[in-house]
Amino acid sequence: MPEKYHIHTKPVPPRLPRIGKHGIVDWREDCARCHNCVKKACVYDRYRQEAQYIRTLEYSDFLFFECMGCLSCVQNCTKNLLCLTINSEYEKLGNRYWTPEIIHSTWQQAETASVPVSGAGYRGKFAGHGFDAMWTDMSEIVRPTRDGIHGREYISTSVDIGKKPSYLNFENNGGAVQLPAIIDIPMPLIIDMNPPAYGRPCLEPYIIQAAAQTGLIALVDSGKWAAIDGDSRLQPIEQYLPHIAFHLNPDAPELPRAALAGTKLVEIPDGEKALDTMAAIKAQFPGMIVSVRVPLEKGGTERAVALADAGAEVIHVVADLNGDEIGVDNPRFIKDMIRAIHKALIKGGRRDEVTLIAGGGIALPEHMAKALLCGADLVSSFLPFMIALECRLCKSCRPGQICPARIESISFEYGTGRVRNLIAAWHLQLIELMGAMGMREARRLRGDVGRAMFFEELEEDIFGKIFGTRKRT
Ligand code: SF4
Ligand code: SF4
């Protein structure tokens, strides 16, 4: 049996004061001086930590906002003196899709490499936009895979990238013809390039190092080759090349042959000549897998299917950062576009012959599992790895503006440690999800909508007969 996939981690504390959601306020005037003060009973020990923080205050503009919001102290104070406050800085984090909750939980995961704990239970809605309109079905009898979560059985999170034949072909009564090359990666995730709106921080060194430590692959714009090759922290560069997939930017200088030869996967932008370019690369580098990047704009889903019909082996479809179809008035969400492509590929009898990578809006590990259930083979994402470095997704990610997360000054150890920890936390949560669904193989998640429930479908089934089909606005 191959060695079990395990990521070695250690905690990497934040450099800056955390921007938590809750602070605790008390009014000492009426304090009864109980012998059993609720503050001493805080399960997270926050009051003692707050006192310590105030004694060693480095940033006078940051208050202590690390309360977990369990409300235990508020409910149990005999004089009702305590109340929780909401931190206004917290509410300013991110945007409507990359919510403060997502950013905060990503920080926690990057620090601890473990499954985040909210401390306050789930008090949100049970359905919403995007991936929140989809639930995974955890009603299986899951004993065997619960064992997997605790390490007694193995849950495999590996997936393949590359073309797989739909059937075995035997020529002249001999053995099966040679199978095309595939890449086996230990998690259904590749790390994408900086999106243009967040192109300011140069995170490649940390991301490439973390990808090498975790066995994953990072997509890197070929225009950044000179910077990577010249980075003393990434030497010898040859050992990192298997964990890099260059996106061949047509405006960048050509890559040296040795750099390309060391990689296993390369990406090209879509265009009229995409398949000719793919054939030329494969002729030069037999065994190289070529992915075509298709933006999910108007006609993007149809284009992805047409490329598969024409022989593309890997298609990387990318929606906008919030997972929406790009540049259309009534955009579809990434999960619906993945389902449309997956179904069309099945209909055309080509599903196994192409690997579908889906990016855009993948913000949480549950999104990775849900995208697979919709029909992707694996996902790509970038912003969570930038958030791992205490980025707040502010609106000033441009040269000349001050980065509130001071990302330019992070150390190599901190940067790689936080990215690696986040990958490990996503891996743990994928195993948790798969265990709860009764699944032992990430490859089997692909398109298994029987393990998922969709809000629109349930609503149509239950209420459609009474009120008619909901109109999309
Ligand atoms: S609300 Fe809970 S976590 Fe916060 S200070 Fe009170 S007991 Fe501690
Ligand atoms: S905190 Fe703002 S400026 Fe800094 S990396 Fe994040 S988005 Fe960019």
Side-chain angles (χ1 to χ4, degrees):
M1 182 179 169
E3 198 188 336
K4 285 183 182 176
Y5 181 56
H6 179 71
I7 302 173
H8 296 278
T9 59
K10 61 176 185 201
V12 182
R15 298 160 294 130
L16 306 168
R18 293 182 183 87
I19 305 175
K21 182 172 184 182
H22 296 293
I24 316 120
V25 176
D26 63 357
W27 287 276
R28 291 189 166 267
E29 299 92 72
D30 291 331
C31 174
R33 303 267 186 269
C34 307
H35 290 300
N36 296 316
C37 180
V38 288
K39 296 178 180 181
K40 289 188 215 154
C42 170
V43 283
Y44 300 101
D45 209 14
R46 292 304 190 235
Y47 285 100
R48 206 177 48 77
Q49 292 166 10
E50 183 179 23
Q52 177 68 18
Y53 172 73
I54 290 167
R55 271 198 289 276
T56 56
L57 207 61
E58 281 182 42
Y59 296 91
S60 55
D61 51 341
F62 281 97
L63 297 178
F64 189 82
F65 279 104
E66 295 199 33
C67 160
M68 300 295 279
C70 73
L71 294 175
S72 153
C73 61
V74 175
Q75 285 174 333
N76 294 323
C77 173
T78 49
K79 298 275 276 177
N80 289 332
L81 292 181
L82 305 182
C83 70
L84 294 190
T85 55
I86 303 282
N87 182 359
S88 58
E89 281 300 304
Y90 175 86
E91 292 183 300
K92 284 187 218 148
L93 295 173
N95 61 27
R96 73 167 170 85
Y97 187 84
W98 297 83
T99 60
E101 287 80 11
I102 289 178
I103 292 178
H104 194 257
S105 100
T106 304
W107 288 342
Q108 270 183 288
Q109 293 167 66
E111 177 179 354
T112 61
S114 55
V115 179
V117 178
S118 78
Y122 183 70
R123 287 181 288 174
K125 297 179 194 163
F126 284 93
H129 170 72
F131 284 117
D132 290 342
M134 176 181 178
W135 303 280
T136 51
D137 183 352
M138 298 177 176
S139 59
E140 285 287 308
I141 298 173
V142 295
R143 173 72 205 279
T145 42
R146 292 304 300 177
D147 278 0
I149 291 169
H150 300 294
R152 293 189 287 270
E153 273 194 34
Y154 191 51
I155 295 180
S156 168
T157 53
S158 298
V159 292
D160 306 313
I161 306 177
K163 197 182 192 91
K164 290 181 190 164
S166 298
Y167 50 87
L168 284 177
N169 185 3
F170 296 89
E171 280 176 355
N172 304 327
N173 294 328
V177 292
Q178 201 185 0
L179 297 175
I182 55 168
I183 303 168
D184 174 7
I185 59 166
M187 248 176 98
L189 171 71
I190 60 171
I191 306 175
D192 206 355
M193 303 180 285
N194 290 44
Y198 294 101
R200 174 181 160 183
C202 174
L203 305 186
E204 283 79 15
Y206 319 113
I207 284 175
I208 291 170
Q209 174 76 351
Q213 288 173 346
T214 54
L216 297 187
I217 291 179
L219 263 171
V220 174
D221 189 299
S222 59
K224 300 204 171 167
W225 164 249
I228 295 165
D229 189 33
D231 193 320
S232 58
R233 299 166 297 183
L234 295 179
Q235 299 304 326
I237 191 69
E238 293 73 27
Q239 79 183 41
Y240 292 96
L241 290 175
H243 301 283
I244 298 174
F246 287 108
H247 175 85
L248 300 184
N249 179 348
D251 302 325
E254 215 170 282
L255 281 174
R257 190 183 163 83
L260 262 181
T263 65
K264 298 184 277 188
L265 175 70
V266 79
E267 182 173 273
I268 54 174
D270 187 24
E272 267 177 37
K273 303 237 165 83
L275 291 177
D276 297 339
T277 311
M278 177 181 111
I281 294 170
K282 290 181 85 67
Q284 247 194 314
F285 301 96
M288 174 80 82
I289 294 172
V290 182
S291 162
V292 185
R293 189 180 185 98
V294 180
L296 283 175
E297 51 205 13
K298 191 168 185 294
T301 51
E302 293 79 8
R303 175 64 184 160
V305 177
L307 279 167
D309 287 342
E313 54 185 353
V314 181
I315 298 168
H316 182 189
V317 290
V318 190
D320 74 10
L321 291 177
N322 300 336
D324 289 331
E325 200 168 7
I326 302 163
V328 298
D329 288 341
N330 195 5
R332 290 176 292 172
F333 188 66
I334 181 81
K335 78 178 190 335
D336 304 310
M337 294 186 276
I338 298 169
R339 287 188 82 186
I341 297 169
H342 177 68
K343 279 189 202 163
L345 292 174
I346 291 175
K347 203 168 164 203
R350 301 212 173 273
R351 186 61 193 91
D352 283 328
E353 292 175 15
V354 63
T355 299
L356 183 62
I357 308 175
I362 306 295
L364 293 168
E366 67 172 75
H367 298 171
M368 174 167 59
K370 287 176 175 178
L372 265 58
L373 289 172
C374 288
D377 291 275
L378 65 156
V379 298
S380 69
S381 194
F382 175 81
L383 287 190
F385 303 101
M386 190 161 105
I387 296 170
L389 307 177
E390 294 175 73
C391 160
R392 302 155 190 207
L393 291 193
C394 70
K395 293 172 184 65
S396 57
C397 204
R398 288 183 298 279
Q401 301 275 345
I402 293 171
C403 167
R406 302 170 206 183
I407 282 196
E408 290 86 357
S409 59
I410 63 177
S411 73
F412 193 56
E413 201 183 341
Y414 165 91
T416 55
R418 299 270 298 194
V419 174
R420 181 200 59 223
N421 281 0
L422 184 63
I423 293 169
W426 279 38
H427 180 241
L428 281 179
Q429 287 165 87
L430 180 61
I431 289 180
E432 282 281 345
L433 268 164
M434 289 173 62
M437 281 190 280
M439 302 291 278
R440 287 200 182 112
E441 264 263 25
R443 292 178 182 95
R444 287 187 51 213
L445 286 179
R446 188 187 76 188
D448 191 351
V449 284
R451 301 294 166 110
M453 291 169 283
F454 295 89
F455 173 77
E456 296 86 357
E457 292 174 8
L458 292 175
E459 186 188 52
E460 176 71 27
D461 273 0
I462 298 166
F463 298 111
K465 297 179 194 96
I466 308 169
F467 301 111
T469 300
R470 183 195 282 261
K471 292 190 180 73
R472 287 185 80 222
T473 50

